[in-house]
Amino acid sequence: MVTRVATYTSHNLLTNLAQRNAAKVADLSNQASSGVKSRTYSGIASDTQQLLNLEGSLTRNGQYINNITQVKLRLQNMESATSSMSEIATRMKTLLLQGLSNSQADDLNLDEEGRQAMAQVNSLLNSTLDGRYLFGGATTDSPPVNLAQSPIPDTYFAKVAGSDTATLGSIGGTTAGSLDINGQTITYAPTDTLKDLADQINQLSPPPAVASVRADPGSNNYRLVIEDFSGNPMSISETGGGNLLDGLSHNPALSAETGYYQGDQKHLSARVDEDYSVNYGVRADDPAFASLVAGLRIIGSTTDEDSLRMALGHIEYAIENLPNVGSKIGIDTKNVEEIESQHRDFAVFANNAVSDIENVDIPLTLIEVEQHKTALQASLMTIAKTTDISLVNYLR
C-alpha cells in the first residue's frame, strides 16, 4: 500500500494519534500494574518540588516523633522510680512508728533497714536508660547520686506540747534577743511563735538553715527544727542578749561530708519541633528526694529517739511531696504527647499528599487504559481504511 499525496496529511495525523494512544496505553498499563505514576521524578515533573518538600518535612517530622518517644520512655522510667521511692518511704514510716511507739528501734533493726532502703534509693536515683542517667539534669554520662556522701543535717530543736502556735517564751526564749545562724542575724521576742521564727529564718536570702514546725508523730508534741544540710556543723550563737538558744537541744551532725547530688542544675532537653525544645523531668536534688535521703541517712546511722523522730519528719515530708514529683513528670508526659499527636496528624496528611502525587487510582487507571485502547483501535482501523483508498474502489 502506498500513501498518496492526497492522503499524506490525514495519514500522518492519524498515525501520530495512534502512536500517542499506543504510548498512553503502555504508560497507563505500567501505572496500573505498579500502582505508581512514575519511577522517576521526570515522570511527575510538575509535582516534583512539592513532593521533595513533603518528603523532607516527613523526614524531620519522623525524627521529632522519635525524640518524643525517647522522652516518654525516660519519663516513664522516672515515674516508676519515683513511685518505688514513695513505697520505700511509706514502709520506713511504718517501721519508724512501730519502733518509736514501743521504743523498739533496736529490736526492729531500724538502722539496718535504713541502710538497705538507702541502697535502694541510691540505685533508683541513678537509674539509666540507653546508657544515660536520668536524674542528673543535663549531666547524663555519670551517676548523679552518691548517697555515701549524704550528710546528716546538723540540727537544733525544741519540743512543745499541744500546739503548733506556741510562743518562743514557752521553749525558753523568755528574753528578747537575736541569733546568729551561719553568719546571718535574726531578732526575736518572747511573744513570737515558733512559726514566726521559722518563717524569719527561711525568708533570709540565702537561708542560713532550713527551719520548720512539725508534728511529732506518735505524741501530742510539736517540734521546732532548725537544720543545716551542708554536712558541716551549724554555727549558731546568741548575739543580742536573749536566752532562746538555752531552750534549743543540739543534735550534732554525724558526718561532715559533701552533698550527695553530683549532677548539674539544668534539666533534660529534647528538640520536639522545628523551633521548639522542651525541658522535662526532675533532678535527684528535688526537695522530696532530699528529705527521703536525709531521713534514711539518720535512720541508718543512729537509734537515738530524738534523731529518729526528726527522721520521721523528713520521711513524712517525702511521702507528702513525692506524689507532686510524680505529677510533674505526668504533666511533662502529657505535654510531649500533645506535640506527638500534632506530628502524627501531620504525618497522616503528608503521607496522603505524597500518595496522591506518587500513586494512581488503579480501578480508574484501568478504565483509562480501556478508553485509550478503544481510541487506538479506532485509529488503526481508520488508518487501514485510508491506505485502502484507490480510484477503482472509489468508482465502485
Side-chain angles (χ1 to χ4, degrees), residues 141-284:
D141 56 354
S142 59
V145 162
N146 180 1
L147 295 191
Q149 295 186 1
S150 60
I152 292 178
D154 193 7
T155 305
Y156 284 79
F157 67 95
K159 291 187 291 186
V160 295
S163 174
D164 63 349
T165 58
T167 64
L168 298 183
S170 67
I171 63 171
T174 57
T175 303
S178 59
L179 287 179
D180 184 290
I181 303 176
N182 288 336
Q184 297 197 57
T185 301
I186 60 166
T187 60
Y188 63 85
T191 54
D192 292 340
T193 66
L194 306 187
K195 287 185 176 181
D196 291 335
L197 181 70
D199 289 343
Q200 190 177 170
I201 294 172
N202 293 331
Q203 288 169 6
L204 291 173
S205 181
V210 177
S212 62
V213 179
R214 55 197 189 221
D216 210 354
S219 72
N220 192 35
N221 297 327
Y222 286 82
R223 189 178 294 253
L224 167 69
V225 182
I226 305 171
E227 299 166 295
D228 184 342
F229 286 88
S230 69
N232 300 311
M234 189 187 319
S235 172
I236 182 168
S237 60
E238 289 279 8
T239 58
N243 59 352
L244 177 60
L245 190 55
D246 294 338
L248 300 179
S249 299
H250 185 205
N251 189 339
L254 301 182
S255 63
E257 299 159 341
T258 58
Y260 69 87
Y261 181 65
Q262 300 176 355
D264 57 33
Q265 295 302 307
K266 300 178 181 178
H267 282 88
L268 290 170
S269 178
R271 176 65 64 86
V272 295
D273 208 342
E274 189 73 25
D275 299 310
Y276 181 48
S277 293
V278 61
N279 294 325
Y280 64 94
V282 294
R283 299 191 305 263

Side-chain angles (χ1 to χ4, degrees), residues 117-130:
M118 181 76 92
Q120 293 172 341
V121 170
N122 188 87
S123 177
L124 290 167
L125 290 177
N126 283 329
S127 295
T128 62
L129 181 66
D130 297 330

